Structure formats: C-alpha cells, structure tokens
Amino acid sequence: MAEDTRNKNPLKILESVGKELITGVLDDLVGKNVLKLEEEEKKKIYDAKLEDKARVLVDSMRQKRHEAGQIFVQTFLNIEKNSTSIKAPEEIVTGPDESAETTDTLQLCPHEEFLKLCKERAEEIYPIKEIKSRTRLALIICNTEFDHLPLRNGAAHDITGMKGLLEGLGYSVDVEEKLTARDMESVLCRFAAREEHKSSDSTFLVFMSHGILDGICGTMHSDEKPDVLPYDTIFRIFNNRNCLSLKDKPKVIIVQACRGANRGELWVSDSPAALADSSSQSPENLEEDAIYKTHVEKDFIAFCSSTPHNVSWRDITKGSLFITQLITCFQKYSWRCHLEEVFRKVQKSFEKPNVKAQMPTIERLSMTRYFYLFPGN
C-alpha cells in the first residue's frame, strides 16, 4: 500500500489526506522552512483560508525545481501516523540549484549521483580514479607579451580563471608564460614525461596566445620570421606512442587564439587539399595508415575559441570571451554533464552574435567514451 502511495503524483497525495491534518503538516513544513520557500510564499500560505492552504502550497511547489519536490514528498511520506511533527529528511540526494542564471562557483556533484552514474554507465564513461590516490595534472601556457605582436591585455584574467577552475576540478596546475615555440615544445615534453600521469585519469592542456591557422604563436613571431607551435606537435607529444602514461585517458586541449584574420561573419569551406594529397596512395597504404592513426592518436578532444580562418575576441578588462564562457559553463554544468555537453553549451552561448562574432569548435575528437569530471568526487 505504501508503494502505491509513493507512485502517485506527489502533488495529488494531498487530496487523500484530511484538511485538518494537512493544515498542521503544511504549517509545520513552512514554519521549519523544510521546503526552502521565499518569505512571500510563506506569507501566502499562512494567510490562506483552511480550505485553500493545500492549493496555495501546490501552486508554490509547481514553481520549484525537482529537488524541492523530492524534499516535500519524502517529508510528507515519513510523517508518523499520529503526529504532525516534521523534520527535514537527512538523506535526500539533490544536485545544485540550476535556476540561478549566473554563478561564480563550481557546482559539485552529489556523491550518490556520482556512484549511480558510474554504475549505470560503466561501459560508456572513462573511469575516474579515487580522489585520495589520483594525481591529476594540468598545464596552462599563456603568452601575453611579444616582440613583434600586440600586447594581449586582459590575459591575466584568463590565467586566474582557468587555474581556479582546474584546481576546483582536482588538478594540480602548472602555469608557463612568455615562451617561444621551441620553449613551448620543451615544456610540453617535460610535462608529458611527468610520473604523476601514471596515477592520473586525465589531463588538461590550455593554450592562450596569438595564433594562426596552423598553430600557436611564440613570443618572437613575425610575418618575416614565424615562431609557431604547430597543433600537430601537441598531439604528437601526447599520443600513445610518446606518452604511455596517458594511454586510454582523456587528453583535453583548450585553445584561446586567433586562427586567421577574418571577423567570423563570413564562413569559409574546408580546404580540399588533403583529398588531393591522397590520390597517389595505394588502398593498402590508406587502410594501414587509418589503423595506425586510430591506435596512436586516441582519447583526445580539442576545443578551439573560433572556427578556422577567424579571429577570437578578448575584453581587456575581463579576459577572453571564450574563456569566460567556458569557465561559466563548467561551473554550472560539469556536475551533471559530460565534457562534450559542456562544450556544446559554450557553443550555444555564442550562437547569436552580439557586437563581435566567433564560434568555438570541437576538433580532432578521438574520445571513445564520455568524460565526466564529477567535481567533488
């Protein structure tokens, strides 16, 4: 019988209970603030007539999130038969309140939700190592001052924001600045060789600099003497041939840099050059090459601040538009969304251009599972 009651619409439960009992229960629920009602909502319930109290409470509950409904139902069903004394339930599993439009803190994933998802989707998600024993590492490379290029004002905000976010997600963060392309490659090689990766479950690589279509500018870059770290170099250093410690583990690359000089309002088509290059290859070679790449380059995802050939924008007082939105979306959604979902929410925030247009893009995706960060776990 109790099971039948639990399966009913929670808001309909009120209809099966006498008005006198309801009045006492509701007043106690409101008075002890079990349902976290606003003062205006409490007043409406207190002032309502006896026969209207349930209806007024139901109207308030309809405006609440699912978590508030859980608390209400659990509390109501736990009422002792001859008592209207109410206590807030101690073990209600709820997530963070998503109703807030803005947040500046990382929302944590309830441990019960973490365990539930790990069990239900064990074959679909990347395994997460125990928080006490894992040694997650992240690297931020940021160039602000250049010999021949403009100063990247506002970049300090990006460093602070990304470092705080990654630390909140459980990573020890190294920050490197003022690097040439050769210096960046050396830093990446040293970072890839770190012993901590063996007991880690993932890594983040964040690059913030001026950039061109094929790579990230070092501090000495000029049109006459390019100083560029190719994107291919990053993937080569961390692939399964050169970084076995991160084999089968998510490797997340985030790039805040221009990828050309276009303003983003006009879209360009993909270059057909790669197709032309393959015409001289035999079918056997092409097949072998595909298998080789699958094994060597795997479990990567790159998220770039703009589409190829287009610029990225930076607010000199607040930091890059892309990094700002990225941090916000991680804070709000990473507790319940896997990484690609978080990235799509960032893209969604740029869907309708304001004064400046740019569209972040997910590229070179070779992840075979979903990557959940489960902040706090």
Side-chain angles (χ1 to χ4, degrees), residues 45 49 53 86 118 168 181 238 255 257 267 287 306 318 336:
I45 295 170
K49 295 179 180 179
K53 282 185 179 289
I86 307 299
C118 286
F238 288 90
V255 179
W267 304 96
E287 183 179 1
S306 67
K318 298 178 182 178
R336 64 176 178 83

Side-chain angles (χ1 to χ4, degrees), residues 141-154:
I141 291 179
C142 182
N143 285 335
T144 305
E145 300 178 2
F146 300 81
D147 293 348
H148 308 287
L149 299 175
L151 180 70
R152 296 183 63 250
N153 290 306

